[in-house]
Amino acid sequence: MVHHRPYSPAEGRRRRGLTPVRVRVEGDSMLPALRPGDWLWVRRGAPVRPGDLVLARLPSEESRLIVKRAAWRDGDGWWVESDNQRAPGRRDSWDFGPVPVLGRVVARYRPPLSWPTFFRAR
């Protein structure tokens, strides 16, 4: 599961459907590639190939977003899988079938240490 935080892109990107989205990873279903607390930049509407990390909506809870690995295209959607099939609470296409993909992950980063802690007077 991920938490979604929209990003205000340039108007040109918005018109082309390439709106970037920033999301935070929760849970262990994508270990070792993604760890809880990682932040991702997702390019909405980007082309997807098998093996890409993608963002999709959880079919049973449309308000929840998931990040999974695209396995293959199936009709109008993608078969998506978790990297860690043994993670507790893992949900992917083995549970709900192919899903429409919202975007492709283009970057991953981990926030630096808390700035107030880092700059604390000694």
Side-chain angles (χ1 to χ4, degrees):
M1 301 303 157
V2 295
H3 279 270
H4 158 269
R5 186 172 292 172
Y7 175 73
S8 299
E11 184 60 35
R13 283 190 224 146
R14 193 176 299 145
R15 275 184 263 132
R16 291 191 305 261
L18 303 177
T19 308
V21 176
R22 193 170 62 144
V23 296
R24 184 172 52 92
V25 175
E26 292 181 354
D28 296 333
S29 69
M30 291 306 293
L31 285 173
L34 302 175
R35 298 181 302 176
D38 284 350
W39 283 89
L40 310 172
W41 280 106
V42 177
R43 187 170 157 202
R44 293 175 63 109
V48 176
R49 295 181 305 212
D52 287 344
L53 292 174
V54 296
L55 182 69
R57 291 199 183 279
L58 185 61
S60 59
E61 297 176 54
E62 290 289 322
S63 63
R64 301 235 21 189
L65 300 174
I66 55 174
V67 172
K68 300 295 175 190
R69 193 164 304 278
W72 65 82
R73 187 144 180 87
D74 189 358
D76 291 333
W78 279 86
W79 186 271
V80 295
E81 296 181 352
S82 301
D83 284 356
N84 181 4
Q85 289 292 317
R86 294 184 178 176
R90 172 224 36 91
R91 290 189 263 179
D92 59 20
S93 288
W94 292 104
D95 303 309
F96 47 71
V99 294
V101 166
L102 301 175
R104 177 174 44 94
V105 174
V106 294
R108 172 184 64 122
Y109 65 97
R110 186 167 268 287
L113 294 173
S114 164
W115 289 113
T117 303
F118 183 73
F119 289 111
R120 186 181 313 152
R122 296 175 193 240

